[in-house]
């Protein structure tokens, strides 16, 4: 048999099988169809949308993936990271973004017992927001956050304080952390 004839037959077979391979591959991965023809033909640059004439703009290299949504800017003013001899670590902040202000306390509880946390955010004109958070007995970091409120005035006029205590009748205070607390040793 002639080797040249076998080569031509193999080439024709490959060309004819490409549309079938594209149909089998289907739309882009994970069923995310972006409106373009997907699958193998698109990946190989053989789909109609990628056959741009020289007068049109050249296709970009690789499939276009939407980037992460742009996050709005959030400013924060935080006090120092504090820790108590009882196994509680915390840092408390005032956050401002998109015309809203709220308080947040990042914590870690290595005391071996569940605790209560009270986060209070104080603003101008005596405005106060307070929330109680359950702090599980574990080594995992967590956070306690007040609801976001419409900002009223200068962000510097807000402060937040988190208090971590034993949840019993005594309510022994283990740590108090503030957004405007001086760093240990600063006085």
């Amino acid at each position: 048999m002639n080797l040249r004839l076998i080569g031509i037959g193999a080439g024709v077979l490959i060309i004819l099988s490409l549309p079938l391979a594209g149909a089998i591959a289907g739309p882009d991965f994970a069923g995310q169809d972006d409106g373009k023809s997907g699958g193998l033909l698109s990946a190989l640059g053989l789909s109609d949308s990628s056959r741009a004439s020289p007068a049109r703009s050249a296709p970009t290299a690789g499939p276009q993936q939407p980037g992460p949504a742009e996050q709005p800017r959030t400013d924060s003013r935080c006090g120092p990271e504090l820790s108590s001899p009882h196994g509680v670590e915390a840092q408390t902040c005032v956050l401002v973004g998109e015309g809203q202000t709220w308080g947040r306390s990042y914590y870690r509880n290595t005391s071996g017992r569940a605790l209560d946390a009270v986060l209070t955010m104080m603003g101008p004109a005596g405005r106060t927001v307070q929330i109680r958070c359950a702090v599980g007995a574990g080594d995992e970091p967590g956070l306690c956050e007040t609801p976001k409120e419409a900002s009223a005035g200068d962000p510097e006029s807000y402060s937040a304080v988190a208090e971590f205590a034993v949840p019993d009748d005594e309510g022994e205070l283990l740590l108090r952390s503030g957004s405007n607390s001086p760093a240990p040793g600063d006085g």
Side-chain angles (χ1 to χ4, degrees):
M1 192 178 235
N2 188 347
L3 290 177
R4 186 171 165 185
L5 186 59
I6 293 174
I8 292 173
V12 169
L13 183 60
I14 290 173
I15 291 172
L16 293 176
S17 65
L18 282 177
L20 178 61
I24 291 171
D28 290 339
F29 295 105
Q32 298 175 354
D33 187 16
D34 59 2
K36 302 174 190 169
S37 60
L40 184 60
L41 292 178
S42 176
L44 294 174
L46 300 175
S47 67
D48 289 336
S49 64
S50 65
R51 292 182 185 159
S53 67
R56 295 190 338 205
S57 62
T60 59
Q64 296 296 313
Q65 296 292 328
E70 186 173 320
Q71 296 296 317
R73 180 184 168 104
T74 301
D75 293 322
S76 64
R77 192 178 75 254
C78 300
E81 295 178 27
L82 300 175
S83 61
S84 78
H86 305 288
V88 181
E89 301 170 4
Q91 181 178 31
T92 302
C93 306
V94 170
L95 295 104
V96 178
E98 294 189 311
Q100 297 183 312
T101 305
W102 66 102
R104 180 184 291 167
S105 185
Y106 302 94
Y107 63 82
R108 188 177 190 141
N109 176 16
T110 61
S111 70
R113 59 185 169 181
L115 302 174
D116 279 338
V118 176
L119 176 59
T120 306
M121 189 176 77
M122 296 147 291
R127 296 174 59 173
T128 302
V129 176
Q130 190 174 69
I131 189 165
R132 185 176 295 272
C133 299
V135 177
D139 195 16
E140 293 299 315
L143 65 87
C144 181
E145 185 172 271
T146 66
K148 296 177 181 180
E149 299 285 333
S151 297
D154 182 25
E156 297 294 320
S157 62
Y158 286 88
S159 63
V161 175
E163 297 176 314
F164 296 84
V166 177
D168 60 13
D169 293 336
E170 299 294 317
E172 178 187 0
L173 181 63
L174 302 180
L175 180 67
R176 179 178 289 132
S177 168
S179 63
N180 56 354
S181 301
D186 284 355

